[in-house]
Amino acid sequence: MENRIIQYITRYIDLTPEETAIINAQNQIKTFTKDTILLREGAFAKECYFILKGCIRSFYLVDGEERTTALYTENQGVHPVSYLTNEASAYYLSCLEDCVVAISTAEMGKKLLEAVPKLQRVLLQMSSELLIQNRTDLDHFKNLSPEERYIHLLETRPDLFKRVPLQHIATYLGITPVSLSRMRKRITGGYKANSGYLLTKDNFLEKLYQ
Amino acid sequence: MENRIIQYITRYIDLTPEETAIINAQNQIKTFTKDTILLREGAFAKECYFILKGCIRSFYLVDGEERTTALYTENQGVHPVSYLTNEASAYYLSCLEDCVVAISTAEMGKKLLEAVPKLQRVLLQMSSELLIQNRTDLDHFKNLSPEERYIHLLETRPDLFKRVPLQHIATYLGITPVSLSRMRKRITGGYKANSGYLLTKDNFLEKLYQ
DNA sequence: CAACCCAATTCATTATTATCAAAAAAATAC
DNA sequence: GTATTTTTTTGATAATAATGAATTGGGTTG
């Protein structure tokens, strides 16, 4: 499981066995049960995470309603804004499933960078990729209709639909659970009408893109 | 004017006179007239920019309509996704005003980093700040209503309303120019009704936050 | 100064989504 | 396996923004 981290890094640079050992020695693996809150609004994030197994959700609490803003799964890093800025967090982080994560703190990260300086290049590259992803996400969100966003999510992260409650996907898409439910009915309903076949939610996409 | 660049960098790290000289020697300053297209959809961005004077707009062309996604002004860097990924650009970059910019290419950047290695730290820091900004922007866009987004923009970047046509601000806010016009009337109209005073668009905000 | 162009506003109508409330379905606990 | 939550779906209505089309306003140009 720890090898995932090494795999992740070696997508960017090569590591000597020594460097690999240093990194693995630093790894602090922890397990959290479902519904564990990793970060609360107003709290200060002291750690960031790399998900080895499970799913972590970030959400804002607006007028008592949860608004999901990110869904992280295996092999993704979770770097709370609060962790990066040392300011109080504006949002929550919570485990949607039992999770196994590698944890890093600011001090650990600093030490690791001193021990393996070329990791700086990896960080910069990762940071750049994250930035691109975020900008693209924002552009998509602005330019696509809710339905187009739903289809896009279905295409790019179909796994989410098998593990994340629809209510969270709804707010992640920027709509209400009620609207998402209707939208799904409309879309699959339309397909049924055209084909004459009854499709479940699960095999709809396969049919659509086969 | 070039000093702006040095000022920008020294917010993050100190520079020796030699390093300052190296950086200034690299600076390539260019002027573009209003409406110059710096990057077209489908083209490959070869340069990134630091705005010394003027305003640059990025927009997508969707069904023949321009959808503004970013508005850059003085002391901001413009790093096209296409520049970072070496892929064809999905959007346009255009000068909303006559612009004076410092230009950097991938080769120039690489050379500069070799000459002044500690700039890597600046890059990482900048990258991190940009990431935070983008994530916050996306979260805001998702969680705020169009009207709240308008108010927020009025608060955070009031300068834009003095130099950017409302139609571009509208699509930047994710609404149509028609809706923005109505919204502005509604908001200022409501204030007039409450106060009994006629306020112009320019002094409305001052009154609101005095 | 008049003709023209583009931006902004306004009106009437349509399309979407949100909201409130309730029922059905699914998941979880006992 | 039944009871109890929680999630999802459905219905009726209200709120909001989009659309198509026309008008007004400001600024530019000849």
Side-chain angles (χ1 to χ4, degrees), chain A residues 46-109:
Chain A
K46 296 294 178 205
E47 357 177 275
C48 59
Y49 312 93
F50 180 85
I51 304 183
L52 295 166
K53 181 147 181 36
C55 181
I56 294 175
R57 175 174 76 103
S58 72
F59 63 91
Y60 288 69
L61 208 53
V62 186
D63 301 327
E65 305 250 299
E66 296 183 359
R67 305 279 184 85
T68 299
T69 47
L71 294 164
Y72 303 97
T73 52
E74 283 80 10
N75 297 322
Q76 290 192 304
V78 182
H79 310 94
V81 168
S82 168
Y83 171 83
L84 299 171
T85 63
N86 291 313
E87 291 170 8
S89 181
Y91 56 80
Y92 294 78
L93 278 181
S94 152
C95 298
L96 275 180
E97 308 170 352
D98 291 342
C99 288
V100 183
V101 302
I103 297 183
S104 180
T105 63
E107 308 90 73
M108 283 165 65

Side-chain angles (χ1 to χ4, degrees), chain B residues 174-187:
Chain B
I175 57 178
T176 61
V178 177
S179 290
L180 178 59
S181 176
R182 268 191 245 283
M183 184 184 291
R184 284 163 64 84
K185 189 187 176 190
R186 199 165 61 229
I187 292 173

Side-chain angles (χ1 to χ4, degrees), chain B residues 144-158 161 173 180 183-184 187-188 204-205 208-209:
Chain B
L144 300 185
S145 68
E147 189 164 322
E148 288 171 323
R149 294 201 291 269
Y150 170 71
I151 299 289
H152 185 252
L153 190 65
L154 223 40
E155 289 173 10
T156 52
R157 300 188 66 186
F161 291 84
L173 289 170
L180 178 59
M183 184 184 291
R184 284 163 64 84
I187 292 173
T188 49
F204 166 65
L205 247 206
L208 191 59
Y209 294 104

Side-chain angles (χ1 to χ4, degrees), chain A residues 60-181:
Chain A
Y60 288 69
L61 208 53
V62 186
D63 301 327
E65 305 250 299
E66 296 183 359
R67 305 279 184 85
T68 299
T69 47
L71 294 164
Y72 303 97
T73 52
E74 283 80 10
N75 297 322
Q76 290 192 304
V78 182
H79 310 94
V81 168
S82 168
Y83 171 83
L84 299 171
T85 63
N86 291 313
E87 291 170 8
S89 181
Y91 56 80
Y92 294 78
L93 278 181
S94 152
C95 298
L96 275 180
E97 308 170 352
D98 291 342
C99 288
V100 183
V101 302
I103 297 183
S104 180
T105 63
E107 308 90 73
M108 283 165 65
K110 201 181 159 201
K111 260 194 241 167
L112 199 54
L113 270 181
E114 281 162 10
V116 190
K118 60 178 169 178
L119 280 180
Q120 191 157 35
R121 220 165 352 122
V122 179
L123 267 188
L124 193 56
Q125 186 62 29
M126 278 174 49
S127 190
S128 170
E129 284 178 15
L130 277 176
L131 183 60
I132 292 166
Q133 185 61 51
N134 263 276
R135 276 216 253 169
T136 308
D137 285 351
L138 177 55
D139 291 351
H140 273 194
F141 198 88
K142 264 190 198 168
N143 293 325
L144 301 185
S145 67
E147 188 164 321
E148 288 170 323
R149 294 202 291 272
Y150 169 70
I151 299 290
H152 185 252
L153 190 65
L154 224 37
E155 289 174 9
T156 52
R157 299 188 66 185
D159 53 306
L160 291 183
F161 291 84
K162 292 178 183 141
R163 57 203 295 192
V164 178
L166 287 174
Q167 51 178 326
H168 297 143
I169 290 181
T171 61
Y172 179 62
L173 289 169
I175 58 178
T176 61
V178 177
S179 291
L180 178 58
S181 175

